[in-house]
Amino acid sequence: MKDQPDGTVLVKGPWAATVSLVAEALRITGRGRRPVLGSAALTAAAALLVGGGIVAGAFAASWGLFLEARRAAELSLANEDSYVAYADQWDGLVTVAFCVFPLLLLVAVVSLAWLLTAQAVIVAHARESATAGTVPLPTPAPAPLPVPVPGGLTLRALARRSRPHFGAALRVQLLTLVCALVPGLAGLSVLVAIESDMVPGVVWPTYHDPATVQFVVVGRILPVVIWALGLVLLARLSLATAVRVADDCSATAAMRRSWTLTRTARPHTTGIFLLGTVAVAAAFTVFRWVGTYVAHWVGLLVLATTEDNVWVTGVFVLITPVAVALVLLPFALAPTGVLLACLRERLDARAEGARGSSRVPVG
């Protein structure tokens, strides 16, 4: 273990390297908590405004369907008939959902591109601040010259430095989403094929027919393996935004560079990516639990404003915890972005060191 002038720590062993990297990311997050939390707060506010507007528009477009569902339910109850909720309105609601989900996904992609770009800029600024004090003064000098040490990174400065990289970062996220859809849809297609009886010898289990060995292998293990390969693919491309900020290259070049950097450190990169994923998933679970308390008051408000329409109230109560978790999720994604940017620096430094050692003449 050896301390470096820029504050990083070089350690031996995969576990020690992981601990050192996480500690460095936490240290940068703590020292730059204002821009880190500020960028997360701006993202959460923008997601709340834009995403909330999209959801509000969807409810406005489908409000008549909810009223029809209420009338149909009350008429069936009055006639003592059995009924299925939203039986006649389901197709219309699905049509609205197919229009809303792509818009919400676009909001998520834009938010993620901005967050990862901002965190990469914060890490670069932290490294500049750490190394600025080691810059030697020019000699001879007529008078003492101050060493240029960057000051605190304000949100305005963060936005100014992130703006040139945002377009390429957005393209990186869109290309990564396309790459992630391939294994994701492939795993789902296996399940759809089994349910449609398109796989010979594999039958979907029922209450009377338990799962067979063929179904466990094809219907359970195979989709998980495909999705796991998708996670590895995402881990290999997760450094592309940080590469773009550091190298000022195109989106495709950043993705190729990310793939190259992670080639010699696949287990380490995948482990760091999974660690960040687990942390984000845990934060999402906590935020969703907090959202259940918000959903209670939202339900009471909707009941009071819709003349006790339990049908639309039930939908609000169901989506509110998830909506609250998604709005607060940037506060967990921002430290993860710092971790990925630090990982890019480590791998890039190791690649530069290996390239330099290969140029040393022998003998």
Side-chain angles (χ1 to χ4, degrees):
M1 182 177 296
K2 182 179 180 181
D3 293 332
Q4 301 299 303
D6 59 358
T8 61
V9 179
L10 296 180
V11 289
K12 296 181 179 180
W15 287 106
T18 300
V19 172
S20 173
L21 182 64
V22 173
E24 180 184 1
L26 291 176
R27 183 169 59 250
I28 293 177
T29 301
R31 293 178 179 177
R33 56 187 176 274
R34 288 186 177 180
V36 171
L37 297 180
S39 60
L42 287 177
T43 305
L48 178 60
L49 292 176
V50 180
I54 293 173
V55 174
F59 272 103
S62 57
W63 193 255
L65 298 175
F66 288 106
L67 296 181
E68 291 178 7
R70 177 180 183 176
R71 287 192 293 267
E74 291 176 348
L75 182 61
S76 298
L77 290 175
N79 296 331
E80 298 182 353
D81 296 331
S82 60
Y83 69 95
V84 177
Y86 305 109
D88 299 326
Q89 298 80 27
W90 182 252
D91 292 338
L93 293 175
V94 170
T95 301
V96 174
F98 271 111
C99 297
V100 170
F101 285 158
L103 296 177
L104 293 178
L105 182 60
L106 180 61
V107 173
V109 171
V110 172
S111 301
L112 185 60
W114 154 252
L115 269 179
L116 293 181
T117 303
Q119 308 321 308
V121 170
I122 291 171
V123 172
H125 175 81
R127 193 65 65 238
E128 294 169 2
S129 301
T131 58
T134 63
V135 177
L137 295 177
T139 55
L145 298 177
V147 180
V149 180
L153 189 63
T154 63
L155 285 179
R156 181 175 297 180
L158 177 62
R160 184 175 62 253
R161 293 185 58 173
S162 302
R163 192 178 301 116
H165 307 289
F166 177 71
L170 181 58
R171 289 191 292 272
V172 165
Q173 296 307 316
L174 291 175
L175 291 174
T176 303
L177 177 62
V178 172
C179 295
L181 285 177
V182 174
L185 294 178
L188 289 177
S189 65
V190 172
L191 299 178
V192 172
I194 295 175
E195 190 174 7
S196 303
D197 297 329
M198 299 175 60
V199 182
V202 180
V203 180
W204 199 276
T206 61
Y207 179 77
H208 300 286
D209 299 323
T212 61
V213 176
Q214 294 87 342
F215 175 80
V216 172
V217 173
V218 179
R220 290 291 182 263
I221 298 179
L222 182 59
V224 171
V225 171
I226 295 175
W227 291 331
L229 292 177
L231 285 177
V232 174
L233 177 63
L234 287 178
R236 297 289 301 276
L237 300 176
S238 60
L239 308 183
T241 302
V243 170
R244 157 65 196 189
V245 173
D247 299 344
D248 197 17
C249 55
S250 64
T252 54
M255 297 179 72
R256 288 196 299 267
R257 179 60 177 167
S258 176
W259 190 269
T260 302
L261 286 176
T262 57
R263 180 180 300 167
T264 58
R266 297 173 187 174
H268 181 60
T269 302
T270 304
I272 292 296
F273 182 79
L274 290 179
L275 179 63
T277 303
V278 170
V280 171
F284 180 85
T285 302
V286 174
F287 294 152
R288 186 176 179 180
W289 172 74
V290 173
T292 56
Y293 294 93
V294 180
H296 172 73
W297 297 102
V298 169
L300 295 178
L301 179 62
V302 174
L303 278 176
T305 56
T306 59
E307 298 179 355
D308 295 334
N309 189 334
V310 296
W311 303 100
V312 68
T313 301
V315 175
F316 269 99
V317 171
L318 285 176
I319 68 173
T320 296
V322 178
V324 170
L326 291 176
V327 169
L328 296 179
L329 199 59
F331 292 98
L333 288 171
T336 304
V338 174
L339 179 64
L340 294 176
C342 292
L343 177 61
R344 186 219 59 88
E345 285 195 341
R346 290 285 183 92
L347 296 180
D348 190 67
R350 184 162 66 176
E352 290 293 335
R355 190 180 301 114
S357 61
S358 63
R359 296 173 181 171
V360 177
V362 179

